[in-house]
Amino acid sequence: MTLDDLRVFAAVCRAGSLSAVARDLDCSQSAVSQHVKRLERELGLTLIERHPRGVVPTKAGHHLQTAVATGLGGIDHALRTLAELARGEGGSVRITTGATSIRHFMSAAVVDFRQRFPQVSLEFQTGVSSRNCLEALTAGHVDLAWITLGSPVRGIDQRPVVDLPWVLAVAANDPLAARDRVEPADLQDARLIGLPQNSVSRSQLDDWLGKSGIRPVFDTSVTDWDTAILLAELGLGQAVVPALPEWQGPGHPGLRLLPLPDLPGLTVGWALRDWDTLGPLARAFADTVAAHCGRAPTPVSPPSVATP
């Protein structure tokens, strides 16, 4: 078998279609099929099953797909690092993260890094969830993933950078707005704006609420923290969210962020394949972001209440 056979097989598993991979590679569907058949002949196993709407990996195919994603990702990462070392300060750093993370955690660091390394290209890829970002990292598509840290992931190094306390975001005219903190009982039967079901932050929140015996009503669904806070500010509900720096201060007179001290905070930071083999430019960018985050802690102060 060849690396090309493995790359094409992995692409077929991701796409679920021989024809789609053929279009991406600008070759015939027969040529794509030959790569898969060569692997099947050598292994003596069927790796994909054909269905009317495409192809899916067999049990054996799933095993190989997992190994290929990890192995080829490591090879591609090593080749990029070697090429980066050969170029010196030129090259690129590929980062995947959520849509709002750059605004809240990286804006100053991006400016700082660009001033220090003007010849380096920063390539940002938006991930819809931490899981999506980790998949891109495992496949070797990116160097760094900024995620909400959760359970350990095999082959991935998670490095915490910022601890974020939870708050209840409410409009200034909400009955709870004058409180200096929120207790678990205050959330019972509350109409909350829900974070994405598949997100790490939502999973951790649901776990805490379940253990506390609290059952709020999630009657509005959003895809990111910023949207949840904005809707709360507009009076469309309450939102349990991390305390994001950009939403604090006098710029949002219609918003209150009420501390939830009984709820264990979230940790966000970097995920990468291996810190010791991370390219020098990617390591410099990761360190720059961590340094800037360290200068901007996110304590939650009691809300200020405007005098009528």
Side-chain angles (χ1 to χ4, degrees):
M1 66 181 71
T2 67
L3 284 178
D4 282 343
D5 294 336
L6 295 172
R7 290 185 193 279
V8 171
F9 169 72
V12 168
C13 291
R14 288 195 303 270
S17 168
L18 296 170
S19 59
V21 174
R23 287 194 300 271
D24 290 342
L25 298 179
D26 194 23
C27 65
S28 68
Q29 183 172 326
S30 175
V32 172
S33 181
Q34 286 302 315
H35 283 287
V36 177
K37 288 179 179 178
R38 188 155 44 237
L39 290 174
E40 291 179 328
R41 285 197 301 270
E42 183 158 343
L43 296 172
L45 294 167
T46 300
L47 298 177
I48 62 172
E49 295 177 340
R50 289 165 172 79
H51 295 277
R53 294 187 176 182
V55 298
V56 295
T58 62
K59 183 176 180 180
H62 274 298
H63 282 293
L64 183 59
Q65 179 189 10
T66 301
V68 167
T70 302
L72 290 181
I75 292 172
D76 289 340
H77 174 75
L79 293 175
R80 279 181 54 83
T81 300
L82 293 174
E84 182 181 301
L85 292 170
R87 287 193 300 267
E89 291 191 352
S92 64
V93 180
R94 304 170 301 167
I95 308 105
T96 181
T97 185
T100 63
S101 295
I102 298 175
R103 171 191 177 195
H104 290 293
F105 304 108
M106 301 184 193
S107 54
V110 168
V111 174
D112 185 357
F113 183 84
R114 175 53 54 82
Q115 291 174 344
R116 292 165 54 206
F117 302 97
Q119 303 303 317
V120 176
S121 171
L122 292 175
E123 302 174 8
F124 289 97
Q125 300 179 21
T126 301
V128 297
S129 66
S130 292
R131 179 182 301 175
N132 180 246
C133 292
L134 288 172
E135 289 173 352
L137 181 66
T138 301
H141 298 158
V142 296
D143 306 303
L144 295 163
W146 181 269
I147 63 170
T148 302
L149 302 189
S151 302
V153 179
R154 182 180 179 183
I156 298 295
D157 183 7
Q158 299 186 41
R159 303 178 71 86
V161 177
V162 183
D163 291 321
L164 298 173
W166 287 91
V167 296
L168 182 67
V170 301
N173 60 357
D174 188 282
L176 294 177
R179 301 274 294 273
D180 60 2
R181 60 181 284 162
V182 176
E183 306 296 338
D186 296 320
L187 300 180
Q188 183 66 42
D189 299 322
R191 303 184 71 83
L192 296 182
I193 299 166
L195 300 173
Q197 287 280 1
N198 63 341
S199 66
V200 174
S201 54
R202 176 63 182 271
S203 298
Q204 294 185 15
L205 176 61
D206 286 347
D207 182 63
W208 177 78
L209 292 174
K211 290 178 179 177
S212 301
I214 304 301
R215 290 173 174 77
V217 177
F218 292 97
D219 62 356
T220 304
S221 180
V222 297
T223 59
D224 60 80
W225 297 334
D226 274 347
T227 304
I229 298 174
L230 175 61
L231 293 181
E233 184 178 25
L234 294 174
L236 300 182
Q238 301 171 335
V240 179
V241 292
L244 301 175
E246 293 294 327
W247 285 98
Q248 302 183 49
H252 299 278
L255 177 69
R256 300 289 182 268
L257 299 178
L258 312 176
L260 278 159
D262 291 336
L263 175 56
L266 287 176
T267 301
V268 297
W270 290 118
L272 53 140
R273 297 181 64 86
D274 182 2
W275 183 259
D276 292 333
T277 61
L278 188 65
L281 293 175
R283 184 181 299 192
F285 182 77
D287 284 340
T288 302
V289 171
H292 278 272
C293 286
R295 298 172 196 161
T298 58
V300 180
S301 301
S304 58
V305 181
T307 302

